[in-house]
Amino acid sequence: MSNEFLSIEDLHIHYITQEGTVKAVNGIDLKLNKGETLGLVGETGAGKTTTALGILRLIPNPPGKIMDGKIILEGRNLLELSEEEMRKIRGKKVSMIFQDPMTSLNPVMTVGEQIAEVIEIHEDVNKEEAKEKAKEMLELVGISGGRAGDYPHQFSGGMKQRVVIAIALACSPELLIADEPTTALDVTIQAQVLDLMQGLKKEFNTAMILITHDLGVVAEACDKVAIIYAGEIVEYADIESLFASPKHPYTQGLFASIPSLDEDVERLNPIKGLMPEPTDLPSGCRFHPRCPYAEAKCSEMDPKSVEVGAEHRVKCLIYSGEVSGKGIENE
Ligand code: SF4
């Protein structure tokens, strides 16, 4: 029997604004198995959060619109479900942790009430039972159940994020989408929150999509990685293959820009240039204006995704033999 839990096929999401059409997601394909963690990595504006909101059908419409594609969750295309059916899926089957706990929590409700609310909506329990379960969830994320009556402002940043995780896990979702869950936290708390999420994921066999721009977080927490650039997945691989041998010039640029403890360099090595305007994407390969290996064909041909290993795909003309890739490091 297939272990496949989620499959995204040729997903396109646009925002239609007065300034033009923002092409945020441009043909994304992804697969996720039960219990697996997929890292979605890219710069700000690459389309990571839009993809996640698309899975939950939470793209604000207008101006956002899912233009094309399929999001198959356990055999059902979410894009064909009614709003009522989607409400049953959100929070129960698929849950999301947002980047900033301050904006995810309601300041005028106690944390216990906020956890209990999700449980009451999705499970066949009364108010008292939901309250008790809310306390258990707090304990599970390392906060005393006795603090269920406290308000968000009475908690530190790291504890607030733990509360958000407790809400997201309250109904044991099968898929957890975590959007930069540790970015707003300091480094020691980041490690604690990541450990906590890993532990809970193992306990409940939850599949996870972890959105981040931090390759260190990916190395620690993910089984597979998709590198996103300008709304497209330019490289997809299992974690070992990606870290042993990144193939796409953009991925290589991301690795080259990480500071190294072994080398004493005066300046870091950033990727030149900026992400293109999503209202005015370059022709051909979207990365060609910034790519050190670009040749004339790169601005004319849209690269296809090419298999370079068992679970390793790259969207670059070097790997389909269309351009030479002279000078690229490629073991
Ligand atoms: Fe660079 Fe060309 Fe490959 Fe795009 S297709 S990443 S421009 S070499």
Side-chain angles (χ1 to χ4, degrees):
M1 210 178 105
S2 162
N3 204 24
E4 190 173 297
F5 178 64
L6 174 76
S7 158
I8 299 179
E9 298 170 18
D10 199 25
L11 185 66
H12 292 256
I13 304 175
H14 293 175
Y15 294 96
I16 295 146
T17 70
Q18 281 181 339
E19 285 74 42
T21 299
V22 175
K23 294 178 177 163
V25 171
N26 302 302
I28 278 186
D29 294 297
L30 279 178
K31 290 195 192 312
L32 187 65
N33 292 330
K34 284 185 184 140
E36 206 170 63
T37 298
L38 171 78
L40 222 48
V41 181
E43 291 166 87
T44 304
K48 308 182 300 286
T49 300
T50 300
T51 305
L53 292 174
I55 296 171
L56 283 163
R57 291 234 327 251
L58 287 176
I59 301 287
N61 179 4
K65 193 161 185 228
I66 298 179
M67 307 299 289
D68 207 354
K70 290 180 182 166
I71 300 172
I72 316 272
L73 185 79
E74 292 190 311
R76 288 200 298 173
N77 184 359
L78 299 186
L79 301 185
E80 289 170 354
L81 299 188
S82 67
E83 192 43 43
E84 179 60 30
E85 287 170 311
M86 273 313 292
R87 262 199 293 274
K88 287 183 190 149
I89 285 177
R90 292 185 202 116
K92 173 73 187 152
K93 244 186 194 321
V94 185
S95 210
M96 185 153 174
I97 300 172
F98 292 93
Q99 183 171 348
D100 181 0
M102 265 330 278
T103 51
S104 320
L105 293 172
N106 184 337
V108 296
M109 279 173 83
T110 67
V111 297
E113 284 167 346
Q114 296 186 55
I115 304 171
E117 188 181 44
V118 185
I119 298 166
E120 268 186 84
I121 291 171
H122 291 291
E123 293 188 1
D124 188 19
V125 292
N126 62 33
K127 261 196 165 20
E128 279 314 305
E129 288 165 333
K131 267 190 189 167
E132 273 316 301
K133 176 127 194 245
K135 284 185 188 162
E136 283 169 28
M137 288 309 300
L138 277 179
E139 298 275 355
L140 197 69
V141 296
I143 298 174
S144 159
R147 297 205 61 188
D150 289 351
Y151 288 87
H153 73 269
Q154 293 171 281
F155 293 85
S156 66
M159 285 175 103
K160 280 195 208 82
Q161 194 59 305
R162 283 165 184 263
V163 173
V164 172
I165 293 172
I167 294 173
L169 291 172
C171 295
S172 315
E174 290 166 55
L175 171 62
L176 182 64
I177 303 173
D179 187 0
E180 308 259 13
T182 57
T183 305
L185 307 174
D186 66 50
V187 181
T188 46
I189 306 294
Q190 271 187 20
Q192 284 175 23
V193 169
L194 276 181
D195 280 353
L196 172 72
M197 283 172 43
Q198 284 294 90
L200 296 173
K201 186 180 99 69
K202 274 199 195 116
E203 195 171 330
F204 296 111
N205 195 30
T206 312
M208 184 152 88
I209 295 179
L210 182 58
I211 297 174
T212 181
H213 57 264
D214 186 337
L215 284 165
V217 169
V218 169
E220 199 164 314
C222 298
D223 304 303
K224 298 200 174 128
V225 196
I227 307 285
I228 297 205
Y229 186 80
E232 296 178 340
I233 291 177
V234 293
E235 184 155 7
Y236 170 88
D238 61 81
I239 192 86
E240 291 81 15
S241 306
L242 190 96
F243 278 76
S245 177
K247 300 283 187 203
H248 196 281
Y250 177 61
T251 318
Q252 293 188 352
L254 289 179
F255 276 100
S257 58
I258 299 174
S260 162
L261 289 176
D262 307 326
E263 284 173 59
D264 189 13
V265 290
E266 263 182 38
R267 294 182 73 108
L268 290 176
N269 194 6
I271 301 171
K272 290 195 178 69
L274 296 171
M275 281 263 291
E277 277 297 322
T279 48
D280 187 20
L281 292 173
S283 59
C285 170
R286 313 289 195 208
F287 188 57
H288 83 257
R290 301 173 77 185
C291 180
Y293 311 106
E295 296 177 12
K297 270 190 186 167
C298 297
S299 59
E300 295 157 11
M301 290 180 73
D302 185 8
K304 298 262 172 293
S305 198
V306 180
E307 299 269 346
V308 290
E311 288 228 54
H312 197 163
R313 295 198 317 261
V314 189
K315 199 172 182 307
C316 166
L317 295 171
I318 294 171
Y319 300 92
S320 54
E322 309 284 348
V323 305
S324 70
K326 200 162 171 260
I328 194 168
E329 270 189 42
N330 209 350
E331 290 138 28

